[in-house]
Amino acid sequence: LVLIVGLDDFVNAVVNSDPKFTGLSVLFAVMWLSMWSGTFYVVVNSLDLDLSYLSSFRTYATVMFANNVTPFAHLGGEPLAAGFISKVVGDEYEKCLGGLSAVSVVHFVPSVLFFTFGFIYMGVSGVNVPNGLNRLIGAFLTLTVVIVVVALIVYKFRSKTKNGVSSFLIKLLGIVGKIPKLPDYDAEKIRSVVH
């Protein structure tokens, strides 16, 4: 963003801004990052990854940096950050990636709730919402309900889900393993990672 705006314009805007608002922006950014780091700390400790809160803060700051400099955000940043975390804690890459994904899921819930309650408030208070926006909001709410229902079903039948995912991956990676120069994955290793 700085490169698009122009470094000189960005520096001039920061230098000429009101120091109180700049300080508040920095304070809120640090508070926001500390809240995300707190969630990350809870998740990694529930996975028995040994990180202190301060280490979690530094590590998650690196994750946020990776998410902001990779082209496709979570598609690029989280796998990269999981590699970094696995080196820091000395644990399996998959476990670290799962922990990062769990943090993203935890933060997805309040966002959806804020959106839902905001939309309900708009409906109750009589705010006139354009038709096109109504359809988008309806589609989003429908998709949210579908995701929640699927997540509950997967959770209720988690052992069957794990077995199904394991079987699928064993077959898929068995085919992939036959391609020259690609690794061959052991079925037991796949089961242990999924379970």
Side-chain angles (χ1 to χ4, degrees):
L1 181 61
V2 172
L3 291 175
I4 292 169
V5 170
L7 187 58
D8 290 338
D9 290 342
F10 174 77
V11 170
N12 286 335
V14 171
V15 168
N16 295 322
S17 64
D18 186 334
K20 288 182 287 195
F21 291 118
T22 304
L24 274 174
S25 297
V26 170
L27 177 66
F28 281 123
V30 170
M31 287 171 57
W32 170 79
L33 187 57
S34 67
M35 297 295 174
W36 278 68
S37 300
T39 307
F40 179 65
Y41 173 74
V42 169
V43 168
V44 296
N45 281 290
S46 71
L47 293 172
D48 296 327
L49 299 172
D50 189 28
L51 276 179
S52 66
Y53 178 79
L54 189 57
S55 293
S56 296
F57 182 85
R58 285 193 311 256
T59 305
Y60 207 73
T62 305
V63 170
M64 296 313 301
F65 177 76
N67 276 337
N68 284 296
V69 297
T70 50
F72 304 109
H74 293 294
L75 294 176
E78 294 209 352
L80 181 70
F84 169 75
I85 294 166
S86 71
K87 293 217 185 308
V88 169
V89 298
D91 214 318
E92 292 178 346
Y93 172 81
E94 292 85 0
K95 194 174 185 182
C96 297
L97 184 59
L100 279 173
S101 299
V103 172
S104 295
V105 169
V106 167
H107 287 110
F108 174 74
V109 173
S111 303
V112 171
L113 289 176
F114 283 136
F115 174 84
T116 305
F117 287 124
F119 181 64
I120 291 169
Y121 171 77
M122 287 170 61
V124 169
S125 63
V127 174
N128 191 14
V129 180
N131 264 349
L133 190 58
N134 269 339
R135 287 190 203 106
L136 283 174
I137 291 170
F140 178 79
L141 289 175
T142 303
L143 181 63
T144 302
V145 169
V146 168
I147 290 170
V148 169
V149 168
V150 168
L152 289 172
I153 291 169
V154 166
Y155 181 76
K156 182 165 176 59
F157 301 103
R158 58 190 171 276
S159 63
K160 288 182 180 178
T161 303
K162 287 177 185 177
N163 291 334
V165 169
S166 296
S167 298
F168 172 75
L169 287 175
I170 289 167
K171 289 175 187 170
L172 177 68
L173 294 174
I175 294 167
V176 170
K178 292 177 183 173
I179 299 171
K181 296 188 179 180
L182 287 179
D184 189 19
Y185 293 94
D186 179 47
E188 283 309 310
K189 171 72 174 168
I190 295 168
R191 279 194 195 90
S192 69
V193 168
V194 172
H195 289 269

